[in-house]
Amino acid sequence: MSEVEVYIDQLKRRVIELEKENNLLKEQMEKVASEREEYLQNVSHQLVAPLNAIKWHIENLTGARVGYDRGIKVLRSVYAQATLAVHLAKNFNLMSNLEADHALTKLKEPLQEINLCQLLINLADDFQPLAWDRDIEISVLKDLFEQAPPILAMKPLISQVFSNIIENAVKYSDSKTEIVIEGKYVPSTDSVVVSIRNRGVSLDSNHAKIVFDRGFRSPEAKRKYPAGTGFGLYIARRIIEIHEGTITAGTRNGWTVFEVTLSVKSLKGKARLRAN
Amino acid sequence: MQTKTILLIDDEQAFLEPLVDALEFEGYRTLKARTADEALEILKRERVDLVTIDIMLDPGESLKNHVDSHSTGLFLCEEITRKYPQIDAFCISVVSEMRTIRKIESLGIRFLRKGETPLRTVLNMLRSRLTGIAYSSERDRSY
């Protein structure tokens, strides 16, 4: 074989290799595109649902198809659906930011003191009308929670963590059940622990860790609510990580329990560092 | 005239609530099914004049291994047109995949998009289908 022939042979092999690589890349790109398409479809599905409900409720009110008493309830539903739409829009915004900037550095807001007990009471009030649609009561046990000191954190982000957990709890709870929110200060670790528990779609022990993975949805969750994106708990985990806290999921006596721990001291230290 | 019965197959309370308010105001009897197997059970035992079907839906325990929750509604459209050809059906959904919509329309089922279709239009279409009186789009503006 002449030198030129050897060279041509090498080139041919390289072309075949490149073609293979190219095909692999194409496949990967198609996979990403189809995942993205599914995500956007689910986002649109989730957002259209509350907006459609609001529009139709308003048509019933303006068309005088509901009486006064029912009208008050309809307005409550409109409020609940608007709450849901705002919550979802915030999530999608956070998700776009997370995709563009993994650490959410551009979103970093000043740390502010947050009374977690009050925040959770407000969120419970916000989601209660939605929960009532399925006879679910949300209660906040205040005794210990009220005594917990405030934490320093980025309020809009922390608020989204808890609203994601509560929204999930409402969605996946059985009708006529209770969602219980508790919190307490743990002096040994100088942290506040918040737990949110509900009964409904069970959490498989194999899923307890991966439930916070990007896009993860359990088969049962997918079957019951096909339009979910699997991003709510991922967003929650990312935000808690930024705050150097922990978030866990598990089951206890038939309850599905989500627990968030936020350290008081480390954030104070962080704030001092920033100030310096 | 006998009260007409409408079966609403959808798992979203938010969607059902205003629709039930409006249909009951119009004098219809409404039944609700949250899963495909629940819907098929109701159809076995109740006299139903019309159904509305969502696409993305929980198939339910007995169908969970056979039906993909992303296209449960399509399965239902096929089952209902085959088993209950006398029942009128509408599909009301957010799904915008043209392939799915074409399949549904090829079964003779009208597809209405959630979020874009005014409740008034839905009511007019259902009424027109149940009474046989032609539907006038003029009336849609009256709300």
Side-chain angles (χ1 to χ4, degrees), chain A residues 33-46 229:
Chain A
S34 102
E35 273 175 11
R36 193 166 174 74
E37 193 186 316
E38 195 183 326
Y39 169 68
L40 287 174
Q41 262 187 19
N42 286 337
V43 164
S44 131
H45 192 281
Q46 285 193 331
T229 55

Side-chain angles (χ1 to χ4, degrees), chain A residues 189-242:
Chain A
T189 52
D190 193 23
S191 54
V192 180
V193 182
V194 180
S195 85
I196 297 168
R197 59 180 196 265
N198 74 296
R199 288 177 194 273
V201 172
S202 59
L203 183 72
D204 191 311
S205 59
N206 298 325
H207 295 155
K209 280 215 170 117
I210 52 175
V211 81
F212 299 104
D213 285 0
R214 183 181 175 281
F216 173 79
R217 300 195 69 218
S218 77
E220 204 182 346
K222 256 188 201 166
R223 178 165 72 81
K224 291 210 163 163
Y225 297 95
T229 55
F231 286 155
L233 291 177
Y234 168 69
I235 291 171
R237 174 171 68 85
R238 299 286 306 127
I239 293 173
I240 292 300
E241 278 172 1
I242 290 165

Side-chain angles (χ1 to χ4, degrees), chain B residues 48-108:
Chain B
V48 171
D49 300 287
L50 190 147
V51 291
T52 69
I53 305 164
D54 186 21
I55 304 280
M56 281 163 100
L57 193 71
D58 179 3
E61 271 309 308
S62 69
L63 294 168
K64 68 177 180 188
N65 297 324
H66 311 288
V67 181
D68 172 9
S69 59
H70 275 84
S71 56
T72 306
L74 182 58
F75 161 81
L76 274 176
C77 288
E78 285 163 349
E79 281 291 292
I80 292 171
T81 45
R82 190 167 62 82
K83 286 188 183 162
Y84 308 97
Q86 78 284 5
I87 297 179
D88 282 315
F90 278 90
C91 199
I92 311 180
S93 173
V94 181
V95 168
S96 54
E97 209 194 35
M98 274 324 285
R99 208 169 33 149
T100 311
I101 298 173
R102 279 203 200 100
K103 271 190 198 163
I104 288 163
E105 291 184 331
S106 74
L107 295 163

Side-chain angles (χ1 to χ4, degrees), chain A residues 1 6 9 12-13 17 32 58 60 76 98 128 156 167 171 193 200 266 275-276:
Chain A
M1 210 186 271
V6 169
D9 196 48
K12 274 183 184 165
R13 261 183 273 158
E17 275 169 23
V32 168
I58 290 172
N60 278 339
R76 250 187 229 141
L98 267 174
Q128 185 59 74
E167 198 239 331
K171 194 156 68 177
V193 182
S266 77
N276 294 339

